Amino acid sequence: MKDERLLEMRVFRTVVETGGFTSAAHGLGVSQPFVSQTIQRLEARLGAKLLHRTTRGHRLTAEGERFLETARRVIDLVEQAEADWQRGEAQVEGHLRVSAPIAFGLDRVTPHMPDFLNRHPNLSIDLRLTDDQESLIDDRIDVAIRMGALPDSSLMHRRLCGLQRIIVAAPDLVARYGEPRGVEDLSAMPCLAWDGSRDHLNRWKFVQDGETVTFRAASRFRSNQGMTLFQMCLAGVGVMRMAEHLARPAIARGHLMQLMSAITVRDDGAIHAVFLPDRHLVPRIRSFIDFMADAFRDPDWEEGTGG
């Protein structure tokens, strides 16, 4: 039986303490509709109105004030019980299922796994590498590593590090076509493109003559798998917009060149650990998220300047 009463109390308390549904959603790392629907379910279950909605925000009803006092007391007791347990008997053990994109998983997640397993000898891990976005519920995923902008959902997330994609090509490809200075030059060069659900990554943005220009990358070769596109780029098949964690080391080795850096629009995305609400309190999940956050706090691929 699924009991969401504690989650409802946490959401209600956050709405009151932050002053609104939008600010509560931001603080909890969930969507505004999730917060609104949670409050509606809570009020329906209790049979009482807890908040008055006004044009200026939200105001507690008398019933809401009484329930807030109870909710705070319950949450405090639960958090204290968990803290006592974690200081004493909590163990990182059991089975952990993690999902990650193929390229990032191979290049950056997998190398950290021996250290994490050595720290927690009673834990086993199922690391699933896929460029498809798996369902945490249907696929029984404890933590998913996801890149880029996150869609609105009821899922919780923790930012691990920033994400930038840059335009790169193999030196021999640049030698054949010349180094592009603008979108017109780029249009004359072969490119590599994503297929399927990653098609949005084929829209590359530049600032040219003071205006933002979107270049639509078309290609004779497309793939839904990032590591395949990376290998084709190294082989000189085409120009690619590539995540820095792959691109910077290849640039440092002389295998790739960064192109059009002065006019490439910077991304505002990030790499996140995504998990179900309140699952971060489970020791094996919390320890993995903390470990990943520490591992990527100062990403080594951001040290290079490229080009």
Side-chain angles (χ1 to χ4, degrees), residues 159-307:
R159 186 182 187 277
L160 301 180
C161 60
L163 170 64
Q164 293 294 322
R165 292 184 173 92
I166 60 178
I167 311 301
V168 295
D172 62 341
L173 182 72
V174 177
R176 293 199 307 272
Y177 287 88
E179 184 170 350
R181 301 298 178 184
V183 172
E184 299 79 9
D185 299 333
L186 188 60
S187 299
M189 301 179 72
C191 295
L192 294 168
W194 286 85
D195 194 18
S197 63
R198 297 292 191 275
D199 182 72
H200 63 281
L201 296 177
N202 298 327
R203 293 186 287 272
W204 306 353
K205 292 186 180 297
F206 302 94
V207 175
Q208 195 164 292
D209 298 325
E211 296 184 357
T212 300
V213 178
T214 299
F215 173 78
R216 186 70 165 82
S219 180
R220 293 175 57 214
F221 183 87
R222 299 167 65 93
S223 178
N224 65 344
Q225 210 259 47
M227 212 63 181
T228 299
L229 294 174
F230 174 59
Q231 294 295 332
M232 295 293 280
C233 189
L234 290 176
V237 175
V239 181
M240 182 178 175
R241 182 171 174 264
M242 184 183 297
E244 282 188 313
H245 73 89
L246 285 175
R248 293 298 182 193
I251 292 170
R253 293 190 296 266
H255 297 164
L256 293 176
M257 297 174 55
Q258 182 175 1
L259 308 176
M260 306 170 70
S261 60
I263 64 171
T264 300
V265 173
R266 289 182 60 83
D267 291 323
D268 59 359
I271 300 173
H272 295 91
V274 178
F275 46 95
L276 294 171
D278 281 350
R279 292 289 285 166
H280 66 293
L281 298 175
V282 178
R284 67 179 184 277
I285 296 176
R286 186 188 66 251
S287 63
F288 180 78
I289 295 171
D290 289 345
F291 179 85
M292 287 288 101
D294 185 63
F296 299 125
R297 182 166 288 109
D298 297 304
D300 57 11
W301 63 83
E302 292 183 351
E303 296 176 0
T305 57

Side-chain angles (χ1 to χ4, degrees), residues 25 28-35 37 133 136 146 150-157 274-277:
L28 292 169
V30 299
S31 68
Q32 192 272 341
F34 173 78
V35 172
Q37 292 163 12
Q133 187 162 295
L136 271 67
R146 293 185 176 166
L150 296 177
D152 287 341
S153 73
S154 62
L155 300 177
M156 305 288 285
H157 64 268
V274 178
F275 46 95
L276 294 171

Side-chain angles (χ1 to χ4, degrees), residues 13-68:
R13 183 188 66 173
T14 304
V15 170
V16 174
E17 292 179 348
T18 61
F21 286 13
T22 301
S23 54
H26 179 74
L28 292 169
V30 299
S31 68
Q32 192 272 341
F34 173 78
V35 172
S36 179
Q37 292 163 12
T38 300
I39 297 300
Q40 289 173 10
R41 286 197 306 270
L42 174 61
E43 290 180 328
R45 184 169 56 80
L46 295 177
K49 203 72 170 174
L50 303 178
L51 294 165
H52 282 307
R53 281 79 164 174
T54 69
T55 56
R56 296 183 179 181
H58 301 84
R59 180 170 55 83
L60 281 170
T61 64
E63 292 79 6
E65 290 178 355
R66 290 199 301 272
F67 186 75
L68 177 63

